[in-house]
């Protein structure tokens, strides 16, 4: 018995029937004597529907108003879940992010949590209530509604678990744990019993949307025991562990998972002078425009000029292109090219640290399928390549089998 924070994702609350099933499940935990704090997402598809509504009015919707709009999805599910919990005989109260003082910065649509005042939640728990909190949202210091970026309910769950010092933060979703790759792309993918925090951080940042990256960062920073489980099937799920050694067995694979990030776009600025300071002149305005840059490659210069290519999220490509068009005249660039049909495929594993030849196995597997690598980036425990979008699934499948991950 203890305090559990459970987060239920969009597909788990997609219909009234599922909300009732979640309520039954939560009520069972409560009957076993656990204190329960529940975080829910909007009904599946709802956030996308709201985004589309805004885009009918503005191409680049006003971020403050976008947050007011997007936060409504989660307000629907918290109230419905509380009603369903009451039908189970439970005392339950719903709260928006602002009501439980989830204070964020003012970066609308991708705000970061700064603090949580858990007093109100504690007071309800002490009265035996189940507390249901809207995921994905908070308020800034001026009381404006903010949202935490797509998939942000995971982060609400982990942040609440940290603030309340919960015994476990359980992320309930539509798969029964973290897999060696997205099981919807590779049916032979297998569930991992445990995955290190470090690997999970790479997987999340490289596109495995099963956990939002900020949730993993938060869990690591505040030492939150974190587990991913299926909402409606029993099973142990996957534990995200802080301890490398807990995960390493004799059979610890060199590569433990393959990640894919589909929302990449590539921007190339051609024929710029190959002199000190030029990369900063190109890339600083991009970060000033609040655009996150992912992979960067600069060519060797042939005639004292060079080409610089970088990738950004697809939704930022038009904005990045207009920023680069702005600096290209000043730098005397020959051309600016964009491509929004690329993806990033990555192999991840702490075992890579102690093994040579991992890159060549990766590149051989891709070559065998005639897949051209456009950009490469590496870190101690991952190798990522940018390739054409149409080869995405083939690349993931061939790497999954090249590294013996097929279950
Ligand atoms: P929720 O709505 O519950 O937050 P998400 O759709 O955000 O669920 O995340 C779950 C999905 O993540 C799965 O349905 C699966 O397709 C995808 N996914 C991607 N990579 C992985 C992985 N390595 N392991 C498990 N699921 C993954
Ligand atoms: N509803 C939000 C989204 O679809 C947040 C979440 O589900 O975690 O991104
Ligand atoms: Mg999610």
């Amino acid at each position: 018995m203890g305090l559990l924070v459970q987060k239920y994702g969009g597909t788990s609350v997609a219909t009234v029937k599922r909300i009732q099933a979640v309520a039954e499940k939560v009520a069972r935990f409560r009957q076993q004597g656990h204190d329960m704090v529940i975080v829910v997402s909007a009904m599946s598809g709802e956030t996308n529907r709201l985004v589309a509504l805004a885009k009918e009015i503005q191409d680049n919707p006003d971020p403050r108003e976008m947050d007011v709009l997007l936060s409504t999805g989660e307000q629907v599910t918290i109230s419905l879940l509380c009603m369903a919990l009451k039908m189970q005989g439970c005392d339950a109260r719903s709260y928006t992010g602002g009501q439980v003082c989830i204070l964020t910065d003012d970066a609308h649509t991708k705000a970061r949590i700064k603090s949580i005042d858990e007093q109100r939640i504690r007071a309800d728990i002490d009265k035996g209530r189940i507390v249901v909190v809207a995921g994905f949202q908070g308020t800034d210091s001026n009381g404006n509604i903010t949202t935490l970026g797509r998939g942000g309910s995971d982060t609400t769950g982990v942040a609440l678990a940290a603030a309340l010092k919960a015994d476990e933060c359980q992320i309930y979703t539509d798969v029964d744990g973290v897999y060696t790759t997205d099981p919807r792309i590779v049916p032979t993918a297998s569930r991992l019993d445990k995955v290190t925090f470090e690997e999970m951080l790479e997987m999340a940042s490289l596109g495995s949307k099963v956990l939002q990256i900020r949730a993993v960062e938060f869990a690591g920073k505040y030492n939150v025991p974190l587990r991913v489980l299926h909402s409606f099937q029993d099973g142990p799920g996957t534990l995200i562990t802080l301890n490398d050694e807990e995960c390493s067995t004799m059979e610890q694979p060199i590569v433990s998972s393959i990640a894919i990030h589909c929302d990449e776009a590539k921007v190339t600025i051609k024929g710029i002078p190959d002199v000190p300071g030029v990369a900063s002149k190109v890339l600083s305005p991009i970060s000033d425009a609040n655009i996150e840059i992912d992979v960067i490659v600069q060519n060797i210069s042939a005639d004292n000029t060079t080409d610089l290519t970088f990738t950004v999220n697809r939704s930022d490509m038009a904005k990045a292109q207009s920023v680069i068009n702005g600096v290209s005249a000043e730098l005397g660039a020959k051309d600016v090219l964009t491509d929004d049909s690329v993806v990033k495929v990555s192999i991840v594993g702490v075992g890579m640290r102690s093994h040579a030849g991992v890159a060549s196995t990766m590149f051989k597997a891709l070559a065998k399928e005639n897949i051209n690598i456009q950009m490469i980036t590496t870190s101690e425990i991952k190798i990522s390549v940018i390739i054409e979008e149409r080869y995405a699934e083939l690349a993931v499948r061939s790497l999954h089998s090249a590294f013996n991950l097929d279950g």
Side-chain angles (χ1 to χ4, degrees):
M1 264 174 296
L3 171 60
L4 298 180
V5 174
Q6 299 186 332
K7 177 258 172 177
Y8 290 88
T11 46
S12 314
V13 292
T15 60
V16 165
K17 272 213 155 44
R18 288 197 191 162
I19 290 175
Q20 289 167 323
V22 167
E24 276 171 36
K25 185 176 175 127
V26 172
R28 279 199 300 276
F29 276 98
R30 182 76 194 104
Q31 278 149 17
Q32 287 160 14
H34 296 288
D35 290 328
M36 303 297 292
V37 174
I38 311 300
V39 173
V40 280
S41 292
M43 290 171 146
S44 112
E46 177 63 7
T47 310
N48 287 344
R49 187 184 76 86
L50 296 169
V51 171
L53 285 179
K55 291 209 163 168
E56 278 185 41
I57 297 175
Q58 284 186 298
D59 281 343
N60 283 316
D62 180 88
R64 182 188 180 279
E65 300 316 320
M66 199 64 182
D67 278 351
V68 177
L69 175 69
L70 295 190
S71 63
T72 62
E74 273 72 8
Q75 197 168 331
V76 171
T77 44
I78 52 169
S79 54
L80 293 177
L81 179 58
C82 278
M83 292 174 199
L85 282 166
K86 283 175 205 233
M87 294 304 288
Q88 293 292 320
C90 298
D91 190 3
R93 283 234 168 144
S94 67
Y95 294 106
T96 63
Q99 285 177 314
V100 287
C101 305
I102 300 181
L103 182 72
T104 72
D105 61 19
D106 60 3
H108 284 291
T109 75
K110 42 185 153 187
R112 280 183 183 268
I113 296 176
K114 292 199 335 201
S115 66
I116 295 180
D117 177 1
E118 80 288 5
Q119 294 306 320
R120 192 165 191 178
I121 299 178
R122 276 242 191 266
D124 274 339
I125 292 173
D126 291 345
K127 289 187 183 118
R129 289 180 180 140
I130 297 171
V131 179
V132 180
V133 179
F136 175 56
Q137 55 177 266
T139 47
D140 70 9
S141 55
N142 290 317
N144 296 300
I145 297 174
T146 53
T147 64
L148 310 178
R150 298 305 303 269
S153 299
D154 297 338
T155 304
T156 307
V158 176
L160 283 173
L164 293 160
K165 301 193 176 52
D167 292 283
E168 193 163 273
C169 179
Q170 302 177 334
I171 305 289
Y172 285 95
T173 184
D174 57 0
V175 280
D176 64 346
V178 178
Y179 274 67
T180 48
T181 193
D182 189 336
R184 300 197 194 289
I185 297 178
V186 181
T188 51
S190 37
R191 185 181 57 80
L192 300 160
D193 280 328
K194 287 177 181 170
V195 57
T196 67
F197 161 76
E198 206 184 357
E199 285 171 319
M200 195 63 236
L201 204 57
E202 287 286 7
M203 287 167 76
S205 81
L206 296 168
S208 300
K209 70 166 184 165
V210 62
L211 281 176
Q212 199 202 32
I213 180 164
R214 287 186 186 168
V216 189
E217 282 169 357
F218 232 101
K221 192 162 163 197
Y222 295 99
N223 223 331
V224 178
L226 182 61
R227 194 183 288 275
V228 176
L229 304 117
H230 197 291
S231 297
F232 305 118
Q233 290 168 16
D234 290 335
T238 299
L239 182 69
I240 321 301
T241 161
L242 281 164
N243 187 352
D244 261 27
E245 277 151 33
E246 260 184 56
C247 264
S248 57
T249 60
M250 292 297 281
E251 281 114 70
Q252 170 74 18
I254 300 164
V255 169
S256 54
S257 66
I258 316 287
I260 175 161
H261 188 249
C262 294
D263 283 333
E264 296 268 339
K266 202 172 68 168
V267 181
T268 302
I269 176 161
K270 287 181 76 79
I272 46 175
D274 191 16
V275 293
V278 90
S280 141
K281 275 201 183 122
V282 173
L283 300 175
S284 299
I286 294 283
S287 56
D288 292 346
N290 214 356
I291 300 171
E292 276 177 41
I293 296 168
D294 188 10
V295 185
I296 308 173
V297 165
Q298 185 182 321
N299 286 354
I300 300 282
S301 86
D303 52 1
N304 294 328
T305 69
T306 187
D307 306 336
L308 193 77
T309 303
F310 60 92
T311 65
V312 294
N313 207 287
R314 252 178 231 180
S315 59
D316 284 330
M317 191 185 82
K319 202 164 145 199
Q321 185 175 15
S322 85
V323 172
I324 293 301
N325 283 339
V327 291
S328 77
E330 185 197 331
L331 291 172
K334 288 200 189 98
D335 208 355
V336 176
L337 308 172
T338 56
D339 180 356
D340 64 356
S341 57
V342 292
V343 295
K344 183 171 68 177
V345 175
S346 312
I347 59 174
V348 178
V350 286
M352 285 167 67
R353 275 202 190 106
S354 48
H355 283 83
V358 183
S360 70
T361 306
M362 180 183 197
F363 301 155
K364 247 185 240 159
L366 295 174
K368 207 170 130 208
E369 301 294 348
N370 236 336
I371 300 171
N372 189 38
I373 300 170
Q374 303 183 8
M375 298 165 90
I376 302 170
T377 166
T378 66
S379 79
E380 236 194 335
I381 65 163
K382 72 117 200 277
I383 303 173
S384 302
V385 294
I386 300 287
I387 60 168
E388 253 184 274
E389 184 174 33
R390 63 190 166 124
Y391 295 122
E393 293 194 7
L394 178 62
V396 174
R397 267 187 262 116
S398 64
L399 292 172
H400 198 264
S401 84
F403 288 101
N404 303 316
L405 295 173
D406 288 333

